[in-house]
Amino acid sequence: MRLIINGEDLEVSKAETLQELLGELCVKPERVAVEVNLSIIKKSDYDSCRLKDGDRIEIVNFVGGGM
Amino acid sequence: MEDKLIIKGIEFKSRLWVGTGKYKDFEETRKAIEASGADVVTVAVRRVNIIDRKSENLFDYIDPKKYKILPNTAGCYNVDDALRYSRLAREAGISDMIKLEVIGDEKTLFPDVIGLLKATEILAKEGFLVFPYTNDDPIIAKKLVDAGAVAVMPLAAPIGSGLGIRNPYNIKIILETVKTPVIVDAGVGTASDVAVAMELGCDAVLLNTAIAGAKDPIAMASAMKHAVIAGRLAYKAGRIPKKLYAAASSPIEGML
């Protein structure tokens, strides 16, 4: 399955759900937020969120910054 | 007597709030923030590095259990982006507070107050605790509070400029105009600028570059900590009026 994750075109072999994708990318779900095709996915829905070819995914976290 | 800053039931230990950008590394960030005594730190929302997963995370150094995390919408130039970043920040699950920035242009980084007002209204209705970064304009400050902002954050001067409070009279009018706390955000350069903000009666000061860009950020963080305390004490103590001519402080009586 081909996904666009944080602007990168990536081929994902195993993951079928968002939960599995985060696992495959070694991203801990606690401190991130995720959008799939511009919709924010609640953490409790990661497991039930099924991904499909061409989905645009944004995974963000907090970084150092002031203003 | 206790003199604590409380906003919507949240008690703040320090009146100095700090940013986490522009430091040499995370270790310096950690040390400077510790020296500043701040308990609010503002952070930006950005993409996770999915290629290099070994890169360190800010929260490995700044414990969100120890500090209150104030996510910001830095870098957002329109209402839609500011809303998107705010909602993502809340979904990350650390804070309902948002330091809302809708920036007008890259050269001045002045706020687009029309966009800011729209975004404040929408986010306040969604239950966010909105802290808008705004101009030193009392009318806009009042409109932001009417739109649901829990505090207003007027700039002292352009972000990162270090010019200090350029219009203390406007800040004073804002303080008299709005009932919410007023937190000076951006533009302070050194400890005396912070003290001036606090002496005017501001409730807190948020800064980043003035510490991170100093030659010795950790020493400057400590200076800022003391400036906030000194300025607040002076405000509470009530300064003497300014006069044009001298007034001797020794008695005339008993002179030879």
Side-chain angles (χ1 to χ4, degrees), chain B residues 14 81 85 144 171 245:
Chain B
S14 169
D81 281 350
Y85 277 69
L144 289 166
I171 300 287
Y245 292 101

Side-chain angles (χ1 to χ4, degrees), chain A residues 5-8 10 25-27 30-35 38 40-43 58-67, chain B residues 20-21 42-48 50 53 57 59 71-72 74 84 87-89 91-92 99 101 159 185-186 206 208:
Chain A
I5 308 170
N6 287 0
E8 304 274 347
L10 293 176
L25 295 171
C26 301
V27 172
E30 296 87 48
R31 286 172 191 160
V32 299
V34 183
E35 267 182 3
L38 297 176
I40 293 177
I41 310 297
K42 288 188 182 304
K43 285 187 204 296
E58 293 289 348
I59 308 168
V60 300
N61 66 352
F62 294 124
V63 303
M67 34 202 87
Chain B
T20 50
T42 184
V43 296
V45 176
R46 294 293 182 266
R47 282 172 166 167
V48 169
I50 53 163
R53 292 302 306 139
N57 186 280
F59 288 154
N72 62 54
R84 186 183 185 194
R87 290 166 181 154
L88 280 166
E91 192 51 39
K99 184 163 103 71
E101 301 182 26
I159 291 171
D185 178 12
L206 192 153
N208 188 154

